[in-house]
Amino acid sequence: MSPAFDKNVTMAQYKDIFKIRHNNSRPEKGNILISEPFLQDAYFQRAVVLLVEHNAQGSMGFVLNKKTGMWLNDFFDGFDDIPQIPVYIGGPVSSDRLFFIHSLGNLIPDSIQIGDNLYFDGDFEALKYYLLSGKPVHEDVKFFLGYSGWTENQLYGEIKQDSWLVSRSTNRNIMLAEGESFWKYSVELIGGSYMTWINYPKDPILN
């Protein structure tokens, strides 16, 4: 009988039977982290996280594919006349603060480059001016409430425990990332034995 249907098999045993080990890629700024399929955390279940900072002191990133249900237009005066801009769940840390990534480069002073034509943070007044100019931002800017953070060596520990796969993605995919479909797409890009992940139920006990 399949463990998914055997009530005598615990969730931990089920996970261990089907666990696929991490791919030995080391995390770097600009990489994405793909959560393993059994992760039940409310923020990170079927999540893809973009690392915007990674060094000896720790790591910082944003969940790319989960919307808050809120719009940037509701946060600021004067944004009523531009198309609605969604806000995503960045992570559990500083969840009352707004963060952003973009591909606008030097148009936004003080930006921090995290990859090819991909930037984090910068002069928010300059960004507001750009947004209010009416230029399209669908593939250029992405906003988050909160961020995902790891202390020194914490992320390495979670990768060794097979909680995350490390991979890469294009700017366009990062900006358009949304929902569980992006998690599946990111797994498919790695391929190989990880393809079995996309068929795992979120809760195998309920399968």
Side-chain angles (χ1 to χ4, degrees):
M1 179 179 291
S2 168
F5 298 95
D6 187 348
K7 294 181 180 179
N8 295 318
V9 176
T10 67
M11 179 67 172
Q13 289 171 319
Y14 182 87
K15 290 172 65 177
D16 188 63
I17 290 170
F18 290 101
K19 178 71 80 174
I20 298 174
R21 304 304 173 189
H22 63 83
N23 57 359
N24 293 317
S25 294
R26 294 180 63 83
E28 298 177 358
K29 181 172 64 175
N31 284 166
I32 58 172
L33 305 174
I34 306 167
S35 67
E36 58 95 357
F38 296 117
L39 195 61
Q40 296 296 307
D41 182 277
Y43 284 96
F44 300 127
Q45 186 181 48
R46 306 293 165 104
V48 181
V49 178
L50 171 68
L51 285 178
V52 298
E53 186 174 298
H54 178 73
N55 54 44
Q57 286 70 50
S59 307
M60 177 182 182
F62 301 112
V63 177
L64 291 170
N65 58 322
K66 298 192 177 189
K67 286 183 176 179
T68 62
M70 295 182 282
W71 305 95
L72 183 76
N73 311 59
D74 300 326
F75 285 71
F76 303 101
D77 294 333
F79 278 55
D80 296 338
D81 296 329
I82 66 172
Q84 288 188 312
I85 302 171
V87 177
Y88 290 75
I89 299 172
V93 186
S94 297
S95 57
D96 59 342
R97 287 190 57 195
L98 193 67
F99 301 87
F100 61 94
I101 59 174
H102 62 90
S103 59
L104 302 176
N106 294 332
L107 290 175
I108 310 299
D110 303 322
S111 298
I112 301 169
Q113 187 165 10
I114 57 176
D116 293 337
N117 199 35
L118 186 62
Y119 300 82
F120 160 56
D121 205 9
D123 186 332
F124 188 65
E125 290 303 314
L127 180 58
K128 285 173 62 177
Y129 179 82
Y130 181 89
L131 297 176
L132 291 171
S133 69
K135 297 176 182 177
V137 298
H138 187 50
E139 297 182 17
D140 295 318
V141 188
K142 195 163 191 172
F143 292 89
F144 307 90
L145 275 180
Y147 70 91
S148 304
W150 293 265
T151 57
E152 180 182 1
N153 293 322
Q154 182 183 2
L155 180 56
Y156 284 118
E158 292 183 9
I159 291 172
K160 288 181 179 178
Q161 292 170 0
D162 305 311
S163 294
W164 301 101
L165 280 179
V166 180
S167 186
R168 298 179 181 273
S169 190
T170 66
N171 289 6
R172 184 175 186 276
N173 290 336
I174 285 170
M175 292 301 180
L176 299 180
E178 186 174 326
E180 186 174 339
S181 61
F182 183 69
W183 176 85
K184 291 181 178 179
Y185 170 77
S186 300
V187 172
E188 289 170 351
L189 286 182
I190 297 177
S193 58
Y194 297 104
M195 289 294 290
T196 60
W197 278 16
I198 64 177
N199 296 317
Y200 289 170
K202 287 185 178 180
D203 187 348
I205 302 303
L206 299 177
N207 188 29

